[in-house]
Amino acid sequence: MNRLTRRRLTAATLTVVALATGTTACSSGGSSSAKGSDSGTYTIWDPYPQFAKDSAWAKLLDDCGTKAGVKIKRTAFDTSDLTNKVLLAAQQDNSPDVLIVDNPVVSTLAESGILTTTEDNKLDTSKVDPNLLAAGQSGGKTYGTPIGANTLALYYNKKVLASAGVDVASIKDWTSLTAALEKVKKAGKKGITFSAIGTEEGSFQFLPWFWGAGAKLTRLDSAEGVSALSLWTDWLKKDYAPNSVINNTQTTSWQEFAGGDYAFAENGTWQLANAEKAGFDYGVLPIPASGGGNAAAPTGGEFVTVPVQGDTGRYATTRKLVTCLTSTENLHATDTTLSYVAPTAEVQDKQVAENAELKPWVEAVKAAKGRTSDDLGTKYPKISEQMWKAVQSALSGAKSPKDALTSAQSAVK
């Protein structure tokens, strides 16, 4: 590990900030300085400013520190601010001991030489689902371990479907889903709402359909990619989806669904609490692939990583901290708090045993895929930007799906 070197941060590293959205940063457990003069103090940075220092999450960090025989100094930032702070700290050789970061950021930080590999820091990731671990892999190496995952699926309003004579069990592919939307419209209700806004949120929501068609991010303008964008475009033309999707965030899209008139909404596990408050019976099904089966939806969630340290003697204790945070017992409690699906089958089974409503989400997560998987790394932000621009262009009618994605692919090259 002492042979690890930190490469100069490049402009590509800074583009990762475009992937992040968040709220106001806050701090608990001390200042944002990465290390105190006391060698018995270990620093942890996380993207959970919603959890104050008396929260279960903060107490877990302190408990893991106690077990490792050290004091924890925790600083919480919103996601975008955290990324900027990490880049600055790395330049100053002042990185935190443990960094919990949004999974698309991992490969960029890794390629910049900021993170150690699990081979170097000897973290055991053998129980983690391979598709979730892939989000933290770059160049054949693994950088950290997921603390949990969320993804997208389709919420549905049982009353709306029943009034339209739609059996949700019949929805197995795009054809049957579109047929259901047609029935819903004929019954005087609204079809499906989603977010197609011109940001990472728009790409995030389009990816299940793009991947569900069999398309690859390395070729946006493939016939499969065009078929996915044509599906969305046709839904708008036939009024199965509202024009508002062009400006919808995932929050405003949810608000449309919560009104009670829509049959379906594409959204994530983070809306479960709101779904319980919606005032109508709902269900969840994984997003279908074009020809059947479950489409791969993008994984959300964070990785627990170990940044490079000038003092390599700190790694042994850091490993104890990370192992504690990602243990089977602690993962269950943490992922319940964060509304995440656990990254290991053992904890997933426990979650479903306690709450059967999580079963479709576990299925969706098992089919999910990291946005930076396939060794895209720092290429992903540029690809994603061109993807959401193409979606916007096609849905607004400015270009055909084929022309929009052809332009996107040319811009990526």
Side-chain angles (χ1 to χ4, degrees):
M1 291 171 68
N2 57 1
R3 294 195 300 272
L4 290 171
T5 58
R6 184 178 286 104
R7 296 191 292 275
R8 186 175 64 182
L9 300 180
T10 65
T13 305
L14 302 179
T15 64
V16 76
V17 177
L19 296 173
T21 58
T23 53
T24 305
C26 72
S27 174
S28 65
S31 71
S32 60
S33 173
K35 295 183 182 65
S37 58
D38 181 1
S39 61
T41 297
Y42 278 67
T43 56
I44 297 178
W45 289 3
D46 69 50
Y48 310 131
Q50 69 270 35
F51 297 129
K53 64 182 192 177
D54 60 349
S55 65
W57 167 249
K59 290 177 181 176
L60 171 60
L61 299 183
D62 288 338
D63 288 345
C64 286
T66 299
K67 291 177 181 177
V70 296
K71 181 180 179 182
I72 297 300
K73 181 165 65 174
R74 174 222 177 191
T75 306
F77 302 92
D78 75 86
T79 301
S80 57
D81 198 31
L82 173 59
T83 304
N84 289 324
K85 288 293 193 296
V86 171
L87 298 175
L88 180 60
Q91 289 176 322
Q92 298 173 341
D93 195 19
N94 196 31
S95 296
D97 293 290
V98 178
L99 172 65
I100 303 170
V101 67
D102 195 19
N103 75 68
V105 179
V106 174
S107 60
T108 298
L109 297 182
E111 290 179 27
S112 299
I114 293 172
L115 304 178
T116 64
T117 70
T118 54
E119 180 181 1
D120 286 323
N121 56 47
K122 296 179 173 58
L123 287 177
D124 181 9
T125 60
S126 60
K127 293 183 178 180
V128 178
D129 286 353
N131 66 313
L132 301 182
L133 194 62
Q137 294 175 329
S138 179
K141 297 182 181 296
T142 303
Y143 298 84
T145 185
I147 198 166
N150 56 31
T151 193
L152 297 166
L154 294 180
Y155 287 86
Y156 60 89
N157 185 318
K158 293 183 179 181
K159 184 177 180 180
V160 170
L161 291 186
S163 66
V166 174
D167 178 3
V168 73
S170 69
I171 300 173
K172 300 181 181 297
D173 53 24
W174 290 3
T175 299
S176 53
L177 175 58
T178 301
L181 296 176
E182 181 180 7
K183 287 184 177 181
V184 168
K185 182 186 176 185
K186 287 181 178 179
K189 294 294 186 180
K190 299 177 180 179
I192 185 169
T193 181
F194 48 87
S195 169
I197 194 170
T199 68
E200 176 61 20
E201 279 188 87
S203 291
F204 189 76
Q205 290 240 318
F206 182 60
L207 277 171
W209 311 96
F210 184 81
W211 283 333
K216 296 183 179 180
L217 287 171
T218 50
R219 191 184 165 198
L220 295 176
D221 61 346
S222 67
E224 293 83 2
V226 172
S227 71
L229 188 48
S230 296
L231 178 73
W232 272 19
T233 303
D234 289 345
W235 283 351
L236 263 66
K237 288 179 180 177
K238 295 177 180 178
D239 200 26
Y240 296 164
N243 288 325
S244 59
V245 300
I246 296 175
N247 296 313
N248 268 348
T249 64
Q250 294 180 109
T251 298
T252 57
S253 171
W254 179 261
Q255 290 168 349
E256 288 179 335
F257 179 68
D261 288 331
Y262 280 90
F264 299 95
E266 180 183 355
N267 229 296
T269 49
W270 52 89
Q271 298 291 4
L272 280 171
N274 289 328
E276 295 295 334
K277 301 174 184 176
F280 54 79
D281 288 338
Y282 74 93
V284 177
L285 70 154
I287 296 171
S290 175
N294 297 341
T299 56
E302 291 78 38
F303 264 60
V304 185
T305 67
V306 178
V308 173
Q309 301 293 336
D311 178 3
T312 59
R314 301 180 70 85
Y315 291 132
T317 297
T318 299
R319 183 169 60 252
K320 293 179 182 178
L321 295 173
V322 176
T323 300
C324 176
L325 290 175
T326 57
S327 67
T328 296
E329 177 184 359
N330 289 332
L331 274 178
H332 181 261
T334 298
D335 289 336
T336 299
T337 298
L338 297 173
S339 292
Y340 280 168
V341 171
T344 67
E346 182 180 4
V347 183
Q348 289 168 2
D349 290 344
K350 188 174 181 180
Q351 287 179 307
V352 172
E354 292 185 356
N355 182 1
E357 292 181 356
L358 288 177
K359 185 176 180 180
W361 290 109
V362 170
E363 292 176 3
V365 164
K366 284 185 177 297
K369 184 175 181 178
R371 284 165 278 176
T372 57
S373 296
D374 301 328
D375 263 343
L376 288 178
T378 54
K379 299 175 184 176
Y380 175 74
K382 185 174 182 179
I383 294 172
S384 175
E385 181 180 1
Q386 295 307 317
M387 173 179 280
W388 80 58
K389 286 182 176 179
V391 169
Q392 287 265 300
S393 182
L395 294 188
S396 67
K399 291 182 179 179
S400 69
K402 180 174 175 44
D403 288 346
L405 288 171
T406 298
S407 296
Q409 183 63 32
S410 296
V412 169
K413 288 181 180 179

